[in-house]
Every structure is written in C-alpha cells, then in structure tokens.
Amino acid sequence: MSSTEAAYNAEELQGRHFLTLADFSQDELTSLLAFAKDLKQWQKQGKPYRPLVGKTLGMIFAKSSTRTRVSFEVGMFQLGGHALFLGKNDIQLGRGETIPDTARVLSRYVDGIMIRTYAHTDVVELARYASVPVINGLTDAFHPCQVLADLLTLKEHFGQLKGLKLAYVGDGNNMAHSLLLGAAKMGIHVAVATPSGYEPDGDIVRDSEQAARENGSRVTVTHDPHEAVKGADAVYTDVWASMGQEAEASERRKAFQGYQVNGELMAEAKDGAIFLHCLPAHRGEEVTADVIDGPQSVVVNQAENRLHVQKAILASLL
C-alpha cells in the first residue's frame, strides 16, 4: 500500500469514534497501521505533516499516565494542533457534572476528545452525547491505542502479521481483551494464559474467536502459561495489579505465582521471539529484569509507536 493510498483510506474514518478495535474492520486497521508507518518515516526524515492546524484535542484524565499523555500531546503538536490537559480536578466532571453535559459542552469547544478513565460505559456514554470524535485512551475493559502500537511493532519486526503467534501471560484485563480482538482481526494466532478466576471476559473471547475464524487464525485461552508460550513469535505481559486494584496487590501476587515471564518461559517460544510489555513494568513480578532489559525486548520501540499510531488516529478522525 502506497503512502497516498494509506492516507486516503484512513481519511474515510473522519468523524468516527475510536472506542474499541471491535468497531473496525481488518482493512481499516491495516490502513491505520500503514498511515502510522508513513507518519513515522516522515518524522524521521524531517518532513512536516500538519493537517490539524487550528484543531484542539481535549484530553480527560481520570487515570494518570506517562505514555498516553505525552504521546497524544506531542502528536497533536506535531500535526499542527493543540492538546488541552483536563485532569479529574480540573473540570466539573470530577464534581458531579453529568457525562452528557460534559460531552455536549466540550463538543462546542474542541475538535476531539481523548479520555483515559475507569468504566468503559463512561466512554461509551461520552461518545453517545459528543458531536466530535471520542478516543478511548484506556478503560478497565479496553486499551485499543496500545494494541494498535503493538501491531505496528510486530509488523515492523516480522514484516507481516498474518500467521504470527502472540502469547499473552497474566491478568485477563483490558490488555488481554484488546490483544484478543486486535490479533484475531489481523489473522494472528493469540493464546492467553491466566490463573483461574482471572480469565478474560467471555463475550470478548467469543467475539475474538469469531474474528479469528473469519481471518484464518485461532484463539486459545488456557491456565497453562507454557502451553500459551510454546512456539510463540511474541510474548506479552502486563502488571498483575492495574491502577485501581492496589488493594488486591498482595492477593494477586499469590494468584499469579507461576505466571512470571522469565528466561525459562521465553525459551519455550520460537527462536527469535520478542518480548512486549505495555509499561509501566514491575521487574521481579510479572517479568524478570533479564527479559525486559535483554535483547529480546522491544518495549521501548513499542512505547515509541504509541506516538505514531495516535498521530494516525488523530489525523484520520479529526
């Protein structure tokens, strides 16, 4: 796909929301990835691309962030626009103003809204009442921007996506959900290994299985991390206790014993397998330092790609 084709196809997404990868076809995701690749190349070459001059993105943060805030803010600047940080104590949403009122008012001020929060239903409601595109920067159910960056990282490293095997070891959380959907839509075999009681949502698994059947791949959900990792091209993990689960941290550390990604587990993956993590990471818990800081780790490339895929999303939707 040429640069012109990628940009043209991505522009067909103008005005849409970006809430979950389930809302997008394989062709649409492929266009966004191609567009992100072009944007990354243009930035490295020093070629300016500023389609969002005069545009403003309102960024609502109920959860703190490093990569989400910096990548969206820098991305809007590089595209010629402006990003406005709205912390939970900066707007009336944090003092009881309704989501519909917030959506309607912000839509009169800004050209798009990015929100990073807890309940996915809040993002859905915000999108329902907003007249500008709403982007899901993270909820407890989904993390679509992160997984688009993960797909770009896999494409860069392996040259293609279809037929790869991705193993995810850990909590059946928002990362597991979005990886299941994104991998299945792109023809990637995906295996998720969790302790009993921490499996991904059953409806999301069924949706992913349907997408996998349509795209010639398969979905596996197991309690055996060795089964999941065996023959994998990429191994992925996340923290055992996410933001908002701090009170469960001790209980979760006990439940997740045996689910650490270490050298022994990585040895069961294919030769040349890579390691991914959405960050931040807790070395010595979900992953050992020798893995995340070793030659198989691509976590810094993965984090950089958040900038490029989010620029593709912003330039397409806004």
Side-chain angles (χ1 to χ4, degrees):
M1 179 178 291
S2 70
S3 300
T4 302
E5 289 171 332
Y8 175 78
N9 290 339
E11 285 172 1
E12 294 178 353
L13 304 179
Q14 185 175 352
R16 285 177 59 180
H17 301 304
F18 192 83
L19 306 187
T20 168
L21 298 180
D23 298 333
F24 294 84
S25 68
Q26 183 184 93
D27 285 346
E28 289 169 336
L29 294 177
T30 298
S31 289
L32 279 170
L33 291 171
F35 196 15
K37 179 183 176 183
D38 287 342
L39 290 169
K40 184 175 183 178
Q41 183 178 10
W42 298 341
Q43 180 181 321
K44 303 293 185 188
Q45 294 171 345
K47 294 181 180 179
Y49 180 68
R50 297 167 60 83
L52 300 185
V53 172
K55 302 278 189 179
T56 300
L57 177 73
M59 305 191 304
I60 301 174
F61 282 89
K63 285 187 175 184
S64 59
S65 167
T66 298
R67 281 149 293 276
T68 299
R69 178 176 179 181
V70 176
S71 56
F72 270 109
E73 196 159 332
V74 170
M76 278 298 289
F77 174 79
Q78 291 180 354
L79 293 170
H82 174 71
L84 182 65
F85 177 82
L86 303 170
K88 61 184 178 181
N89 296 321
D90 297 326
I91 55 176
Q92 298 297 330
L93 190 63
R95 298 180 60 214
E97 184 167 37
T98 68
I99 291 173
D101 284 351
T102 300
R104 293 185 186 107
V105 171
L106 286 182
S107 294
R108 300 294 180 97
Y109 296 146
V110 301
D111 302 283
I113 302 169
M114 189 284 298
I115 180 168
R116 180 178 169 94
T117 190
Y118 293 89
H120 189 72
T121 52
D122 288 351
V123 178
V124 172
E125 187 176 15
L126 187 73
R128 181 179 299 123
Y129 290 97
S131 56
V132 297
V134 172
I135 300 168
N136 176 8
L138 174 141
T139 66
D140 288 344
F142 298 105
H143 200 354
C145 293
Q146 175 66 54
V147 171
L148 201 62
D150 301 336
L151 293 172
L152 179 60
T153 306
L154 290 169
K155 184 74 161 38
E156 287 178 333
H157 190 88
F158 294 105
Q160 48 83 35
L161 294 176
K162 190 172 180 62
L164 294 176
K165 180 183 178 182
L166 170 68
Y168 173 86
V169 178
D171 189 16
N173 58 10
N174 50 6
M175 279 310 314
H177 292 160
S178 287
L179 284 167
L180 280 163
L181 290 168
K185 279 183 173 283
M186 302 309 293
I188 299 171
H189 308 299
V190 57
V192 172
T194 73
S196 180
Y198 294 91
E199 298 88 353
D201 180 86
D203 289 338
I204 295 171
V205 172
R206 284 187 286 274
D207 289 345
S208 302
E209 289 171 337
Q210 177 62 36
R213 285 191 292 270
E214 293 170 357
N215 294 292
S217 60
R218 61 182 178 275
V219 168
T220 303
V221 178
T222 177
H223 295 137
D224 185 351
H226 301 279
E227 176 190 353
V229 170
K230 187 173 180 61
D233 297 283
V235 180
Y236 203 120
T237 192
D238 190 11
V239 294
W240 290 342
S242 298
M243 201 176 303
Q245 298 172 332
E246 290 82 2
E248 305 172 26
S250 178
E251 178 185 345
R252 283 173 168 267
R253 274 193 293 270
K254 293 176 184 176
F256 283 86
Q257 292 304 309
Y259 289 82
Q260 182 186 74
V261 177
N262 50 36
E264 180 183 354
L265 190 62
M266 286 295 296
E268 300 193 31
K270 281 184 183 175
D271 290 341
I274 59 174
F275 172 76
L276 301 104
H277 194 303
C278 55
L279 301 178
H282 296 162
R283 289 163 174 80
E285 288 191 9
E286 75 273 7
V287 62
T288 54
D290 62 304
V291 170
I292 193 170
D293 299 321
Q296 291 174 283
S297 176
V298 295
V299 298
V300 177
N301 293 345
Q302 185 186 358
E304 179 194 344
N305 282 337
R306 288 290 301 279
L307 171 64
H308 307 299
V309 300
Q310 278 150 204
K311 285 169 66 177
I313 293 167
L314 290 166
S316 300
L317 271 58
L318 304 192

